[in-house]
Amino acid sequence: MGSKFFVSKSLKREIEKDIKKRKQIEDKINNDLDKFNKEIDDETVFNTFKYIEEHGNQKQKEILKDIEERYKNLDLLIEDTLNLIDWYEKMCEYNKFK
C-alpha cells in the first residue's frame, strides 16, 4: 500500500522495461566486442598503438593511454573499437604513401 505513494506503477513498469532493454543492449555490445577480439591480432593492434604514439595528435595520444591499458587488461570498451579501426585505417593510408 505504501509503495503507490513512492512512485506510480506506470513509472515502475517503465523502469523495469528500461532495465530489460539495457540488458539486451549490454548483451549485444558484449557480443560485438567478442567478435571484434576474434578478428584482430595483437601484432596489428600494437603496430597501430605505435603509429599513434609516433604520428597521432595530442588528443589521440591521451586516448591511446587508456585504450592501451584496457586492451592489455582485456577490457576494451565498444568506443575503443572505433578508435582502433580509425587509427588502423590512418596507419594504412600513411604507409601507403610512405
Side-chain angles (χ1 to χ4, degrees), residues 75-89:
D75 197 27
L76 281 179
L77 302 175
I78 196 69
E79 298 87 352
D80 296 340
T81 62
L82 294 179
N83 279 315
L84 285 169
I85 292 166
D86 183 48
W87 296 345
Y88 173 78
E89 290 171 353

Side-chain angles (χ1 to χ4, degrees), residues 2-31:
S3 68
K4 71 178 183 178
F5 296 108
F6 186 62
V7 294
S8 65
K9 288 183 181 184
S10 62
L11 176 58
K12 181 182 176 193
R13 282 192 300 274
E14 286 299 313
I15 292 170
E16 290 169 341
K17 287 180 191 176
D18 290 343
I19 290 169
K20 184 177 179 180
K21 287 181 207 174
R22 181 177 66 192
K23 174 74 171 116
Q24 291 170 339
I25 291 169
E26 287 172 348
D27 289 345
K28 174 73 171 115
I29 288 171
N30 288 335
N31 187 34

Side-chain angles (χ1 to χ4, degrees), residues 59-96:
K59 182 159 178 81
Q60 290 171 328
K61 290 177 183 181
E62 290 171 9
I63 294 170
L64 172 64
K65 292 175 187 176
D66 293 331
I67 292 176
E68 192 171 18
E69 185 171 324
R70 285 191 291 268
Y71 182 77
K72 290 177 182 176
N73 292 328
L74 304 173
D75 197 27
L76 281 179
L77 302 175
I78 196 69
E79 298 87 352
D80 296 340
T81 62
L82 294 179
N83 279 315
L84 285 169
I85 292 166
D86 183 48
W87 296 345
Y88 173 78
E89 290 171 353
K90 288 179 182 180
M91 179 181 71
C92 289
E93 283 296 311
Y94 175 82
N95 288 326
K96 182 173 146 181

